[in-house]
Amino acid sequence: MQEMRLNVIRQPGEAHIFELRDSLRRHNFSRIGEYPLAGERDFQSFLITHRSEQDELVGGLFAFIRFGWMVVDLLWVHESQRRRGLGGQLLQNIEHIGLQQGIKRYRLNTASFQTGLALYQRHGYEIFAELPSISMHDGKLTEFTDYYMKKEIG
């Protein structure tokens, strides 16, 4: 077998990444048809926020629809407001929006060092995969678990 010349680019520029992403996307389109990406006209995304009377962000959720799933990409609640029902309201709101769009499947991921796992489980999300992970923090390795969760309605 002939040896292939591979190039490694550390910290590649956006143009390099775009070339690879665009090539993969064209391949995917040939198999399953076109689908919008973030920033494109037909990309459906939703931002739900709760702000204080001083207009400070207290909590929020960002989600998008991809391949028949509502993907909850970000969910955050300020520490002073946790365990007061805001996280649950955010989840219920995006599920309601999803149902209006004909979406019945929802997915998200969280990590063991975050506090959302119990919240998601209380709202019917179940773990379908766990990934042991590590991070360098303050000069030492920290081990944690990434949880991938899903929920199907109806």
Side-chain angles (χ1 to χ4, degrees):
M1 182 171 154
Q2 183 181 6
E3 185 175 329
M4 296 179 196
R5 195 185 101 190
L6 302 176
N7 298 312
V8 176
I9 302 172
R10 291 188 179 268
Q11 303 295 39
E14 192 59 38
H16 291 104
I17 298 166
F18 176 82
E19 179 184 24
L20 178 61
R21 184 179 291 126
D22 191 56
S23 297
L24 176 60
R25 187 175 182 199
R26 281 183 279 131
H27 169 79
N28 293 348
F29 284 178
S30 73
R31 301 292 194 274
I32 64 171
E34 291 196 25
Y35 53 89
L37 296 178
E40 294 181 345
R41 185 175 51 85
D42 292 332
F43 183 76
Q44 292 187 63
S45 62
F46 308 90
L47 178 66
I48 306 166
T49 62
H50 176 61
R51 303 188 84 78
S52 70
E53 291 179 8
Q54 295 76 32
D55 200 35
E56 295 173 341
L57 184 64
V58 175
L61 180 151
F62 173 74
F64 57 89
I65 296 173
R66 170 68 49 83
F67 304 127
W69 289 83
M70 180 69 78
V71 180
V72 178
D73 190 45
L74 304 168
L75 191 156
W76 174 81
V77 174
H78 190 277
E79 287 187 40
S80 68
Q81 299 300 309
R82 293 183 184 161
R83 293 171 194 52
R84 295 183 179 192
L86 178 56
Q89 287 181 24
L90 292 166
L91 285 172
Q92 289 172 349
N93 200 289
I94 199 62
E95 290 168 6
H96 178 74
I97 291 169
L99 288 170
Q100 290 177 327
Q101 303 288 317
I103 302 297
K104 296 181 179 183
R105 300 183 303 177
Y106 301 79
R107 71 179 194 215
L108 55 81
N109 76 292
T110 191
S112 57
F113 63 86
Q114 297 173 320
T115 57
L117 182 62
L119 167 72
Y120 303 136
Q121 290 175 321
R122 276 195 311 276
H123 285 271
Y125 288 79
E126 53 190 46
I127 297 169
F128 69 87
E130 296 182 25
L131 183 65
S133 302
I134 57 172
S135 177
M136 181 68 77
H137 180 68
D138 288 338
K140 66 177 187 172
L141 287 177
T142 301
E143 295 183 14
F144 62 96
T145 302
D146 258 332
Y147 297 103
Y148 293 83
M149 306 182 79
K150 67 179 181 172
K151 176 179 181 175
E152 297 192 38
I153 300 175

